[in-house]
Amino acid sequence: GVVEIHEQGMRKSTEVDFVCNEGSNRYYIQSALRLDTQEKTLQESKSLNHIGDNFKKIIVVKDHIKPWRTEDGILVIGVMDFMLDPESLKA
């Protein structure tokens, strides 16, 4: 999906890797190899933070990590947990 961002008087488009619909639910999903720095976390969550609705936003990383949430409420989860845990979208 494409997200319009307005910064410093300019319009810019950024992308969300996946937008998935399940009934009346929608999920915005970014994929990243890892989030090993704060800058990388900000980069990957930037487009998600500019989406104006309250549907779930998720960053899936390659690393095996304990799921956690960013300051903005974005779920960060490892790809194996995301793919194998049927409850991962409900977390």
Side-chain angles (χ1 to χ4, degrees):
V2 176
V3 178
E4 294 285 329
I5 295 177
H6 302 275
E7 289 182 334
Q8 301 168 346
M10 299 181 70
R11 275 179 28 172
K12 190 169 132 180
S13 294
T14 63
E15 293 182 357
V16 175
D17 293 332
F18 302 96
V19 180
C20 306
N21 296 306
E22 179 183 47
S24 61
N25 292 317
R26 176 173 287 168
Y27 304 96
Y28 299 99
I29 303 169
Q30 284 290 98
S31 60
L33 187 59
R34 66 178 51 92
L35 300 180
D36 50 356
T37 65
Q38 183 176 358
E39 291 78 21
K40 182 66 173 171
T41 302
L42 291 173
Q43 175 190 351
E44 292 297 335
S45 60
K46 185 174 185 174
S47 61
L48 296 174
N49 286 329
H50 283 87
I51 296 172
D53 61 38
N54 291 320
F55 289 111
K56 185 167 282 192
K57 296 157 182 83
I58 304 166
I59 300 174
V60 178
V61 297
K62 179 184 174 193
D63 297 331
H64 181 73
I65 61 166
K66 180 178 179 182
W68 58 280
R69 293 194 179 273
T70 68
E71 292 176 358
D72 299 307
I74 297 169
L75 174 64
V76 179
I77 189 169
V79 68
M80 295 304 286
D81 287 333
F82 179 74
M83 298 296 289
L84 298 176
D85 182 355
E87 300 295 311
S88 66
L89 290 178
K90 295 178 177 93

